[in-house]
Amino acid sequence: MSTRLFSIFSSLVLLLFSRIVPAQPLPSLPMDAKVQKGTLRCGVTYYMVKNDEVKGYADFAVVRRGEAPTRATRESLETKFLSRSGIGPRPGGYFRDCDGSTLLCLDRVPVYDANVLDSTLLVTFAQVAASRADEAVIVAGDIDPVEFKKKLDIFSMMVPQHFVESSHGPDYVWEPSVMPSVILRNMPMGNRGIVRVSYASSRTPQEQMNTAQALVMGIFSREFQTIVTRRIHRNLRDAGIPYGRLDFRYISSAETGGDEEYTVEVLTDKEYLEAAMKIVSGTLAGLDGFGVPEVEFRDAKNVMMAEMVRRGSASLSNRQWVDRCAAHFLYGANLAPYSEETRLFARKNVPDSTETRLFNQFTNSLLSQLSNLTLEYRAKLDTLDEDNALFQYNLAYLYGSTFREAKDYAWQRDTSGLEVDCPRVKLKETKPEPVSGGVLWTFSNGVRVVYKQVTGSRTFDYALLLGGGLSGVSGLMEGEGGYFGDMLSLYDAGGLSASDFRDHLAVNGISMDTKVALTFTSIHGNAPSSRLPTLLKALLALANKRTVNRGEFDIYLRNAAWARESVEDRLYSLMYPGFSYTPKKYPDALNPSTQAKAAQFYEARFSRVNEGMLVLVGDLDEATVRKVLLKYIGGFRAQKGSSPRKTVRYQPQPGSSTHRMEEGTKGLYVRLDTEFPLSGINYVLAGVGAEVLRKHVVHALDGTGLSTEVTAGFHSYPQERLWMYVACEGEEASKALPAVREGIRKAAASTVSARNIAALKEMVLAETSRVLSEPSTIVESVVARYGVGKDLVSHYKDSVNGITAARLTEMLSALAAGSIVEIVVE
């Protein structure tokens, strides 16, 4: 199987490069310009990544090849200094076992503090000096590479010389398995169960990891994921099998030193476990036996290309850079910019028929019925045994690979119903729009459009902001309104069924989500620059040519019953008990009347599009945008006057309370809430306060092994309230409750030094400046301004300058004295 797989990839790579760089050998992929890699005097490899994600901070790591972390290794780390400096562990601890190698991660090092920086380097190189294995030091963040390299050279003098014979790990040997593995895990999951199907394959050879060969492998694997997931989704729905979750996981050669793995997992009712397994088996068998038609493969490729473009334009966090560098050192993963992957495949000129043939050969080589198969069940098993489980899987596979399905899985359908002749309008007014820095156009039908050009991405972000939100809906159950956003995706629109309409958006590279807040509704997402007309026709279809699809809702209702309340949603419900207009989803609140309530709600919203606005930010030419808008904007309905805002009230739970949950990621979770005015200064101050609180909690949790993340935000309606969410993941969280409470108390009682205030102001200033250059953030800011009535960003520099230690203490003290809800998951 391995030989055939790689001959397939070689064929496509040769086809690709014969058109791009004729008669030249297959080149290596270029390393991202942000990354500097070399060898220190002591023989240790180093990676430096200048990343401006968080001003004044960087992530450090030590990678040790071929030595797994031991208890002695873990105990050798000086955690008191780290926690005192706010350098906490990741979930699972500071150390991670990576296939028998060690990865030590020191995240969020405050490099603006010279003493902390030097001490962290001492800790880092002390760990390096403790071994003679092949090691690497990684630093990603706000650093000056030239000056930082000097520091690395100085500290490397304390490390004995490393003599490494090989630059890669032990030789990998692919050991195919003829006999399948069946695992039955008897677990107390009530009436729920999980079936998991995995196929293993050989990893990419080490010498090919940094070439287009590995990229082709990744592309085919993600296309395989796209096609398999969509087919199984449809087949489960058609068979009437309820499922709470369908996941596909691909473990690539860039993530492991072992075999690659393709896993499908379905969570369903225990009585449907065998039926779900047969659907998975039969779907995979159909791909193995008959492949995919060219039209389906082309559609899947288009869906994935849009995802690649988005990934290529997104910035990476320090943690992501550390993980990528570690994977390069351990497994040979490439460090090329993600945009290189997009560029390479956008330029290829391989016929779809050829790619489809090679893809089907790849699928046929990967799926071998029972070879390299692991079949696993997780449930409270009463009668199922290994032999019967395997027999049923094999039977379904034989049937699926023998009898061709009659279903048409192609994305594309007849879209003539989306075509529309809109009333003619004129551009009535043009004026500057201060939040986006763009322009605000008002058309003769009263519909407004905010436009801001941000070049370079070949995409744009958008939002159709509609006036009115959940506060205007009568008769809501607590937690029912959280489902209103999803209801819009369950409509037939423009002559397409709900599922075909979603496929139409996907194959055109358009993402679309709906948020229904208390005071506004936003339909938002991202699209390729060339798809503005397609987007507008889709929005017009939803606004004017939608019909309720009861079957889609029934499937949604059935599957939603399997959802479990998240820890965050549980904290929200405990903090604001009895609040009917909560935007959270409570599974027991969804009921057959929800769709009718949502239908009435959306009709009211779409009948007054002039109450809101359309926001377009990204790589769009102004002349083209105006031409397209003049053609379609007249199709949106408008009415004079405005919808009244209904007054709603809620009362947060006073004092503090502690609760327990049995499901969810193990850890301790805290929500703090207090009445606090929402202003520009307080908006940026909340981010600083979250960082100060995080550092105090990290310090308090020293020795527990729990990780710490803190997020902050505001409610603007019906009261202006500040909240912070503290998530501490790890084992035996209940023992850490006193420590977390002490961290909160100390954060409220402390006075931050002038030096730290200055550094935190630089951090939030740089972060705000960075995110406000991103189209998605600009869209969110415009929505906040016109949907909530708060301009929080136009004068952000003045707001940052207004941050003081006294204001910070006032904010944290108010939180500590406000409402506090704690949940322990064990």
Side-chain angles (χ1 to χ4, degrees):
M1 184 176 79
S2 173
T3 302
R4 188 179 177 200
L5 271 177
F6 289 111
S7 68
I8 293 168
F9 296 135
S10 297
S11 299
L12 183 56
V13 171
L14 289 173
L15 280 169
L16 171 66
F17 278 90
S18 67
R19 289 161 170 78
I20 295 178
V21 282
Q24 290 193 18
L26 193 65
S28 297
L29 297 171
M31 184 175 290
D32 195 295
K34 288 186 174 182
V35 182
Q36 293 188 22
K37 175 179 177 288
T39 304
L40 298 173
R41 298 170 184 173
C42 59
V44 171
T45 302
Y46 71 86
Y47 297 83
M48 294 189 302
V49 184
K50 179 172 175 54
N51 190 34
D52 299 328
E53 183 212 18
V54 183
K55 180 71 174 177
Y57 287 83
D59 287 8
F60 289 41
V62 175
V63 193
R64 184 176 298 154
R65 195 199 313 273
E67 287 186 11
T70 63
R71 181 176 179 179
T73 304
R74 299 178 194 276
E75 292 177 350
S76 68
L77 187 66
E78 178 50 61
T79 62
K80 289 188 181 300
F81 154 73
L82 295 173
S83 64
R84 188 171 63 249
S85 303
I87 306 168
R90 292 186 182 184
Y94 289 102
F95 289 92
R96 191 166 84 218
D97 188 334
C98 301
D99 299 301
S101 296
T102 295
L103 176 61
L104 165 65
C105 295
L106 306 177
D107 294 346
R108 294 188 68 86
V109 177
V111 294
Y112 65 83
D113 188 322
N115 292 329
V116 174
L117 170 58
D118 289 345
S119 297
T120 305
L121 284 170
L122 279 171
V123 171
T124 299
F125 280 93
Q127 288 293 319
V128 173
S131 174
R132 296 296 181 273
D134 189 10
E135 295 180 290
V137 172
I138 304 169
V139 182
D142 184 22
I143 59 172
D144 179 339
V146 174
E147 295 301 317
F148 207 88
K149 175 57 167 55
K150 295 176 182 178
K151 280 187 173 290
L152 292 180
D153 285 335
I154 293 172
F155 279 91
S156 68
M157 294 179 182
M158 64 183 284
V159 177
Q161 189 70 29
H162 281 48
F163 298 98
V164 181
E165 296 180 359
S166 174
S167 61
H168 59 81
D171 291 334
Y172 165 82
V173 178
W174 162 241
E175 297 180 355
S177 173
V178 178
M179 295 299 296
S181 173
V182 180
I183 303 171
L184 304 181
R185 299 189 187 276
N186 205 326
M187 302 175 68
M189 298 180 62
N191 62 341
R192 296 185 301 159
I194 291 174
V195 60
R196 178 181 293 170
V197 176
S198 299
Y199 280 93
S201 69
S202 174
R203 64 179 290 104
T204 303
Q206 183 79 15
E207 63 274 11
Q208 298 292 339
M209 284 295 294
N210 196 43
T211 69
Q213 184 97 343
L215 283 188
V216 172
M217 180 73 169
I219 292 290
F220 265 13
S221 297
R222 294 205 294 278
E223 288 168 341
F224 178 71
Q225 174 179 351
T226 301
I227 291 170
V228 166
T229 302
R230 183 171 177 273
R231 283 193 171 204
I232 293 176
H233 266 301
R234 178 172 171 182
N235 292 338
L236 287 171
R237 288 158 53 92
D238 291 350
I241 298 174
Y243 58 100
R245 187 179 72 244
L246 170 59
D247 290 333
F248 186 106
R249 174 82 166 101
Y250 165 52
I251 300 178
S252 70
S253 300
E255 299 172 86
T256 178
D259 302 338
E260 295 202 337
E261 191 173 279
Y262 303 77
T263 301
V264 177
E265 179 179 293
V266 181
L267 169 68
T268 184
D269 190 303
K270 190 174 68 171
E271 70 174 272
Y272 287 100
L273 270 178
E274 188 172 289
M277 176 274 292
K278 290 179 179 179
I279 291 293
V280 174
S281 176
T283 303
L284 294 176
L287 290 170
D288 181 13
F290 305 105
V292 299
E294 182 179 330
V295 62
E296 182 183 0
F297 176 77
R298 182 173 61 247
D299 288 346
K301 188 172 64 172
N302 289 337
V303 170
M304 203 195 68
M305 178 58 70
E307 295 172 356
M308 289 170 59
V309 170
R310 293 188 188 103
R311 188 171 83 147
S313 61
S315 58
L316 297 182
S317 67
N318 293 339
R319 178 176 293 191
Q320 289 172 315
W321 274 119
V322 165
D323 290 344
R324 286 194 71 188
C325 291
H328 181 271
F329 181 75
L330 290 174
Y331 313 127
N334 76 76
L335 284 173
Y338 288 141
S339 56
E340 175 67 17
E341 180 182 62
T342 308
R343 184 195 66 81
L344 181 67
F345 282 87
R347 292 179 59 193
K348 71 182 187 295
N349 190 28
V350 180
D352 288 333
S353 58
T354 301
E355 274 196 271
T356 304
R357 174 174 54 81
L358 291 172
F359 175 80
N360 285 332
Q361 291 176 13
F362 158 74
T363 301
N364 181 255
S365 299
L366 173 65
L367 302 173
S368 301
Q369 195 161 336
L370 299 182
S371 298
N372 309 306
L373 165 70
T374 300
L375 174 63
E376 180 179 345
Y377 284 89
R378 295 185 177 188
K380 185 172 175 54
L381 304 171
D382 301 319
T383 58
L384 192 63
D385 61 71
E386 294 182 9
D387 291 339
N388 183 57
L390 185 59
F391 174 77
Q392 295 297 335
Y393 184 89
N394 192 32
L395 190 65
Y397 202 101
L398 285 170
Y399 185 88
S401 59
T402 303
F403 299 95
R404 182 189 293 270
E405 287 186 291
K407 292 182 182 179
D408 178 7
Y409 288 103
W411 269 259
Q412 297 279 24
R413 292 290 184 267
D414 179 10
T415 59
S416 58
L418 294 172
E419 298 299 329
V420 59
D421 291 325
C422 299
R424 302 292 295 179
V425 295
K426 295 181 180 180
L427 181 57
K428 181 179 178 182
E429 183 182 31
T430 300
K431 63 181 181 180
E433 200 294 306
V435 175
S436 65
V439 295
L440 174 60
W441 293 322
T442 303
F443 291 85
S444 55
N445 61 346
V447 175
R448 296 175 296 169
V449 177
V450 172
Y451 163 75
K452 165 72 174 178
Q453 186 178 41
V454 180
T455 60
S457 65
R458 294 183 293 158
T459 68
F460 67 95
D461 285 78
Y462 70 90
L464 178 60
L465 174 64
L466 302 171
L470 290 178
S471 63
V473 182
S474 300
L476 277 179
M477 294 176 59
E478 184 181 358
E480 184 181 9
Y483 293 97
F484 270 40
D486 292 348
M487 293 300 102
L488 193 61
S489 68
L490 306 181
Y491 282 105
D492 297 340
L496 297 173
S497 70
S499 59
D500 287 343
F501 185 78
R502 295 192 296 266
D503 287 344
H504 169 69
L505 294 176
V507 81
N508 281 282
I510 300 172
S511 66
M512 182 178 289
D513 294 296
T514 304
K515 176 182 179 179
V516 182
L518 279 173
T519 59
F520 68 88
T521 300
S522 171
I523 304 169
H524 54 273
N526 177 273
S529 300
S530 60
R531 293 293 186 263
L532 178 59
T534 306
L535 170 66
L536 289 174
K537 287 187 284 187
L539 290 173
L540 284 169
L542 285 173
N544 305 322
K545 301 169 69 175
R546 69 188 184 284
T547 55
V548 170
N549 187 319
R550 186 67 195 185
E552 283 283 328
F553 177 77
D554 289 342
I555 293 171
Y556 180 90
L557 179 65
R558 183 183 64 203
N559 291 342
W562 288 99
R564 290 297 182 264
E565 190 176 21
S566 69
V567 174
E568 284 194 68
D569 286 359
R570 181 62 176 155
L571 281 169
Y572 193 99
S573 66
L574 292 168
M575 180 67 75
Y576 316 109
F579 183 48
S580 299
Y581 300 97
T582 172
K584 302 296 184 181
K585 295 177 180 178
Y586 301 159
D588 294 340
L590 185 64
N591 63 86
S593 69
T594 303
Q595 189 179 40
K597 295 176 186 177
Q600 184 178 5
F601 170 82
Y602 281 116
E603 177 57 26
R605 304 285 75 74
F606 283 122
S607 67
R608 295 174 174 269
V609 175
N610 57 311
E611 281 192 355
M613 59 178 48
L614 177 65
V615 186
L616 303 171
V617 181
D619 203 351
L620 293 168
D621 172 69
E622 180 174 348
T624 302
V625 171
R626 291 176 63 160
K627 181 179 179 181
V628 172
L629 290 175
L630 287 170
K631 181 177 181 180
Y632 292 107
I633 209 73
F636 290 108
R637 288 178 284 166
Q639 292 185 27
K640 292 182 179 180
S642 60
S643 302
R645 176 183 290 188
K646 181 180 177 181
T647 300
V648 299
R649 302 184 186 280
Y650 69 167
Q651 179 59 52
Q653 187 70 28
S656 61
S657 60
T658 304
H659 308 265
R660 296 184 182 277
M661 288 181 66
E662 294 182 355
E663 295 188 3
T665 303
K666 292 181 180 180
L668 171 61
Y669 305 88
V670 183
R671 186 180 180 100
L672 303 94
D673 179 281
T674 188
E675 189 170 359
F676 211 79
L678 174 54
S679 63
I681 291 179
N682 288 340
Y683 181 71
V684 295
L685 186 65
V688 173
E691 175 61 10
V692 171
L693 179 57
R694 185 195 68 83
K695 287 187 173 183
H696 279 279
V697 174
V698 167
H699 189 194
L701 287 175
D702 178 44
T704 65
L706 271 68
S707 64
T708 304
E709 293 292 339
V710 180
T711 52
F714 275 90
H715 296 303
S716 61
Y717 184 79
Q719 299 173 3
E720 293 185 354
R721 302 189 68 88
L722 167 69
W723 59 264
M724 287 194 186
Y725 174 62
V726 183
C728 306
E729 295 183 13
E731 301 286 340
E732 298 183 340
S734 59
K735 297 180 180 179
L737 260 175
V740 172
R741 292 167 181 166
E742 180 67 6
I744 294 171
R745 187 192 66 79
K746 286 188 174 181
S750 66
T751 300
V752 180
S753 68
R755 183 184 66 172
N756 283 335
I757 282 289
L760 290 168
K761 288 168 70 171
E762 281 194 40
M763 175 195 76
V764 73
L765 182 63
E767 171 70 2
T768 306
S769 178
R770 181 181 66 83
V771 299
L772 286 179
S773 67
E774 298 173 355
S776 59
T777 308
I778 297 173
V779 170
E780 290 171 4
S781 300
V782 173
V783 169
R785 166 63 184 86
Y786 297 96
V788 179
K790 292 286 185 178
D791 180 0
L792 303 172
V793 299
S794 293
H795 305 286
Y796 73 90
K797 293 182 180 179
D798 293 335
S799 296
V800 172
N801 288 332
I803 294 174
T804 64
R807 279 182 165 151
L808 184 58
T809 300
E810 178 190 6
M811 173 178 281
L812 294 175
S813 297
L815 274 173
S819 300
I820 301 177
V821 179
E822 303 162 337
I823 286 181
V824 177
V825 182
E826 286 187 334

